[in-house]
Amino acid sequence: MPVYNAPTKDMQFVLHEVLNVSGSDIPGYSELEPDFTGAVLEEAGKVATNVLHPLNTIGDTEGCRLENGVVYTPTGFKDAFGQMKEGGWTGLDMPEEFGGQNMPYVIGSAVAEMFSASNQAFTMYQGLTHGAASAILAHGTQEQKETYLPNMVSCDWTGTMNLTEPHCGTDLGLMRTKAEPQADGSYKISGQKIFISAGEHDMADNIIHLVLAKIVGGPEGIKGVSLFIVPKFMVNEDGSLGERNGVSVGNIEEKMGIHGNSTCVMNYDEATGYLLGEEHKGMRAMFTMMNEARMGVAMQGLSQADAAYQNAVEYAKDRLQGRDVTGAKNPDGPADPLIVHPDIRRSLMDQKSFTEGARAFVLWGATMIDKAHRSGDDDADGLISLLTPVLKGFLTDEGYDMTVKAQQVYGGHGYIEEWGMSQYTRDARIAMIYEGANGVQALDLVGRKLAQDGGKHVMAFFEMVKNFCKENAGQNEAYDTAFIEPLKAASKDLQAAAMYFMQSGTKNPNHALAGSNDFMHMFGHVCLGLMWAQMAKASYAALEAGTSDTEFYETKITTGQFYMARRLPATSLHLTRIQSGADTVMGLDAASF
Ligand SMILES: Cc1cc2nc3c(=O)[nH]c(=O)nc-3n(C[C@H](O)[C@H](O)[C@H](O)COP(=O)(O)OP(=O)(O)OC[C@H]3O[C@@H](n4cnc5c(N)ncnc54)[C@H](O)[C@@H]3O)c2cc1C
């Protein structure tokens, strides 16, 4: 069975030595002293390793089953869900007035990484509920908040998001689910949604579906889409549960991974729904949920990569194959462990430098979300809006690649099910697809986010990197050579790509869109390069201050050097591809394929 160790030490390093959270003026951050965050992370780590991780393989092998309209989750899930609720893990960053603990989002993110790494399928039930609750919090009336939030924050009721229909995935303007206004102000919702995660299951008393539908007689296309709250059981005025609403599960999907999460076909048959937010502004309201969900999915890329990596390291140290070409490292044994071989090292360093860089990127992104929400900082809001597709697209593409690399370390043993490595690749794969497939994330980045507010946010990003380089250069030659110079070069590539889009995109938009995937990836690399430059800076500072834990900080610096030398230069290839434009990409007629 695979192992999982909670990376609390690394999280503490990022939170306190890199991001200096307790020194920040974001409301609520002064309480985030190292002892406090350490205690929360340690406890969360125990839940992840002792409760959720042992159920990961069970969830994968058993999956969910549908019987007479009821979806049964795998053995142990219901009990574990109860433990999550009792432990107060469901509403960490939710407001106290609805039963939450009002902690900053950054703490919720760190905890969520461990839960997702130990059991992604299980954690999705809670994650979707959190997203639905956030949408009600942001767009609901006071009455809606009071009716639904306390039970959703506690996860006595769970939540879902319903966008996808059989003929309509990315292009939501094609949606057919309709909403007919009723005299009492409610709506009758009719239509079919597919692929609905946690659409039906046996772990909650009620399920609150957030459903996109078109109000009859409203505008055509995406402008006619509104968002509705559709409870599985109607909620009486006194808060008790009433009759069953007209929503039912039609089927559950057989799928490649996340078997422990029920992916449902949901049928709405004149189900009673209540408008959430304004008429025809459903996408705006749903985006609250989707942006949060995209951060959560970015986290899944990181979490599956880390869990897989941890196992690959164990295996590489244990499995004896071949000899070190520079001299035997295990002369008394029949062979040396895999970890002596440079190609295995390369793979492990790819994985290690990705997961640690990605962790810093996600936690830094979470501080931007806190800054936007808790301090009302519009610049932080603009920056995280720009970077959300980068976080989602880059971290899940790369995260999946890393699970494949981890699997590869096992050779054939990674491919058979016995060692549990294929589950990481199978589970990680979906993160590249849902919450907007990664091609669409790249489109969003290049087609919308780059030019948002006159390009102000991307300029702010470049300025941030430039200032970091300026402020930190010239103090330590080794640091300048290994970190500052590569970061400057990569950022220059990114700027050149943005400039190319500006110049060529107006002539032919295909030039920009043909390079969108490359741009998203080069942006991701620059972000991780910046994170590594910050982590290395903190590590040099700790070493200079005479830390006793030299191994931790030296390891950080070496890992960062690897990223800057071996991964970050990918920006140059991405730029070359981008600057070749759309001509070779679009050169063939569709009939020639
Ligand atoms: C396990 C699982 C769980 C899911 N959970 C949910 C859920 O809880 N709620 C929910 O509503 N949905 C859910 N989904 C649906 C998921 O979000 C969609 O599958 C996804 O949005 C893509 O839609 P599609 O499958 O129809 O693909 P399509 O929209 O048909 O796209 C196919 C491909 O074309 C690309 N593409 C499409 N348009 C463009 C364009 N303009 N430019 C460039 N490329 C483009 C896409 O990137 C994609 O690679 C889930 C799906 C799965 C498999």
Side-chain angles (χ1 to χ4, degrees):
M1 187 173 136
V3 296
Y4 177 66
N5 295 306
T8 50
K9 184 174 179 183
D10 201 43
M11 288 175 171
Q12 284 284 80
F13 165 72
V14 175
L15 289 174
H16 299 290
E17 294 176 68
V18 180
L19 301 175
N20 185 21
V21 287
S22 55
S24 160
D25 59 6
I26 300 172
Y29 269 48
S30 61
E31 288 159 31
L32 301 182
E33 293 289 346
D35 285 352
F36 175 73
T37 59
V40 174
L41 296 180
E42 284 306 321
E43 283 310 306
K46 282 184 203 156
V47 174
T49 49
N50 301 336
V51 180
L52 305 187
H53 178 65
L55 296 176
N56 201 32
T57 314
I58 294 172
D60 187 49
T61 47
E62 266 187 36
C64 296
R65 64 178 210 284
L66 172 64
E67 276 175 25
N68 301 323
V70 180
V71 172
Y72 295 92
T73 49
T75 308
F77 269 41
K78 201 170 174 179
D79 181 47
F81 207 66
Q83 291 187 52
M84 298 298 280
K85 293 195 308 192
E86 268 169 41
W89 295 108
T90 59
L92 276 189
D93 58 346
M94 282 290 171
E96 277 171 358
E97 64 172 310
F98 300 117
Q101 300 187 44
N102 204 26
M103 286 187 200
Y105 184 72
V106 70
I107 290 300
S109 293
V111 168
E113 183 200 316
M114 294 187 275
F115 290 171
S116 178
S118 55
N119 198 326
Q120 178 175 328
F122 177 94
T123 303
M124 285 171 65
Y125 292 97
Q126 194 176 320
L128 283 150
T129 308
H130 189 286
S134 295
I136 294 175
L137 193 61
H139 303 284
T141 62
Q142 190 57 26
E143 192 190 339
Q144 287 173 335
K145 290 181 198 173
E146 283 165 13
T147 304
Y148 300 105
L149 288 182
N151 282 306
M152 292 178 80
V153 168
S154 66
C155 270
D156 286 329
W157 301 352
T158 58
T160 67
M161 56 191 284
N162 290 239
L163 296 84
T164 310
E165 297 180 11
H167 60 285
C168 134
T170 305
D171 189 353
L172 291 167
L174 302 172
M175 186 170 297
R176 286 189 197 137
T177 300
K178 61 176 184 182
E180 283 187 74
Q182 304 297 300
D184 65 356
S186 69
Y187 292 77
K188 290 281 177 222
I189 311 291
S190 300
Q192 188 179 66
K193 297 285 178 180
I194 62 165
F195 299 164
I196 305 308
S197 299
E200 177 60 43
H201 60 86
D202 59 351
M203 299 196 295
D205 300 334
N206 202 2
I207 301 179
I208 309 305
H209 302 286
L210 296 196
V211 183
L212 283 179
K214 283 183 174 168
I215 297 174
V216 175
E220 291 295 308
I222 198 75
K223 292 200 172 115
V225 170
S226 305
L227 185 59
F228 297 89
I229 300 175
V230 185
K232 172 179 164 185
F233 287 102
M234 302 303 292
V235 182
N236 297 321
E237 272 187 20
D238 64 359
S240 61
L241 294 185
E243 63 189 29
R244 184 84 196 239
N245 200 358
V247 47
S248 58
V249 54
N251 201 2
I252 54 174
E253 305 291 351
E254 289 295 326
K255 53 194 192 291
M256 177 178 172
I258 54 164
H259 292 151
N261 195 270
S262 56
T263 307
C264 302
V265 173
M266 300 302 298
N267 294 320
Y268 293 88
D269 188 10
E270 298 205 329
T272 301
Y274 306 99
L275 186 68
L276 178 59
E278 293 174 48
E279 272 188 2
H280 314 314
K281 299 270 167 60
M283 287 313 293
R284 204 178 136 239
M286 191 54 117
F287 258 107
T288 303
M289 187 164 181
M290 276 158 59
N291 277 335
E292 183 181 301
R294 282 174 184 175
M295 278 297 280
V297 174
M299 177 83 76
Q300 291 176 351
L302 152 65
S303 66
Q304 295 312 296
D306 188 39
Y309 161 70
Q310 290 188 19
N311 287 281
V313 170
E314 296 270 316
Y315 192 80
K317 286 181 178 171
D318 198 50
R319 171 85 169 163
L320 303 181
Q321 290 294 299
R323 284 287 181 202
D324 185 334
V325 288
T326 62
K329 292 288 179 300
N330 179 32
D332 299 333
D336 286 336
L338 287 174
I339 200 161
V340 304
H341 303 304
D343 191 55
I344 292 285
R345 285 294 183 100
R346 170 199 56 80
S347 169
L348 293 176
M349 288 303 284
D350 279 349
Q351 296 168 55
K352 182 173 169 58
S353 64
F354 168 75
T355 53
E356 292 176 20
R359 178 170 299 125
F361 187 23
V362 166
L363 292 178
W364 174 80
T367 65
M368 287 299 118
I369 290 179
D370 280 328
K371 212 170 178 177
H373 292 172
R374 291 178 168 246
S375 310
D377 186 323
D378 288 343
D379 291 338
D381 195 42
L383 197 55
I384 195 61
S385 162
L386 169 77
L387 292 175
T388 298
V390 179
L391 279 151
K392 197 278 182 182
F394 179 69
L395 295 192
T396 60
D397 275 358
E398 289 275 309
Y400 172 75
D401 283 354
M402 297 305 155
T403 64
V404 173
K405 284 176 198 264
Q407 193 181 26
Q408 189 77 7
V409 168
Y410 281 69
H413 299 273
Y415 193 72
I416 61 167
E417 291 296 337
E418 185 188 347
W419 290 84
M421 292 306 285
S422 89
Q423 187 184 353
Y424 293 118
T425 59
R426 289 186 287 102
D427 286 0
R429 184 66 183 87
I430 186 58
M432 300 157 74
I433 298 170
Y434 57 21
E435 289 313 327
N438 284 356
V440 176
Q441 299 298 327
L443 185 69
D444 179 42
L445 175 67
V446 169
R448 212 164 69 85
K449 298 289 175 63
L450 262 190
Q452 208 168 35
D453 297 327
K456 180 177 150 191
H457 308 300
V458 74
M459 294 313 289
F461 178 84
F462 290 138
E463 202 58 22
M464 181 174 75
V465 176
K466 196 172 114 193
N467 289 341
F468 178 87
C469 292
K470 215 159 126 190
E471 283 159 21
N472 293 288
Q475 294 154 37
N476 171 344
E477 207 183 318
Y479 179 70
D480 286 355
T481 312
F483 292 93
I484 297 290
E485 292 310 323
L487 179 59
K488 270 191 199 164
S491 179
K492 219 169 120 201
D493 286 344
L494 188 65
Q495 290 182 56
M499 186 62 75
Y500 172 81
F501 289 156
M502 276 197 310
Q503 287 164 351
S504 64
T506 41
K507 282 183 231 147
N508 176 0
N510 278 348
H511 286 313
L513 298 186
S516 59
N517 186 280
D518 282 290
F519 189 74
M520 180 174 78
H521 279 259
M522 73 194 298
F523 214 144
H525 277 300
V526 174
C527 290
L528 257 60
L530 177 63
M531 294 301 127
W532 271 115
Q534 293 184 3
M535 290 194 283
K537 178 186 160 185
S539 301
Y540 276 116
L543 288 169
E544 273 163 32
T547 174
S548 56
D549 197 359
T550 49
E551 193 193 333
F552 177 84
Y553 296 103
E554 283 168 0
T555 302
K556 265 293 165 217
I557 292 169
T558 307
T559 310
Q561 285 167 343
F562 174 90
Y563 194 88
M564 304 310 268
R566 306 266 317 203
R567 307 279 302 159
L568 191 59
T571 57
S572 154
L573 174 60
H574 286 305
L575 177 62
T576 305
R577 285 192 194 137
I578 287 169
Q579 289 176 333
S580 78
D583 295 346
T584 56
V585 174
M586 302 301 285
L588 296 181
D589 287 334
S592 306
F593 282 89

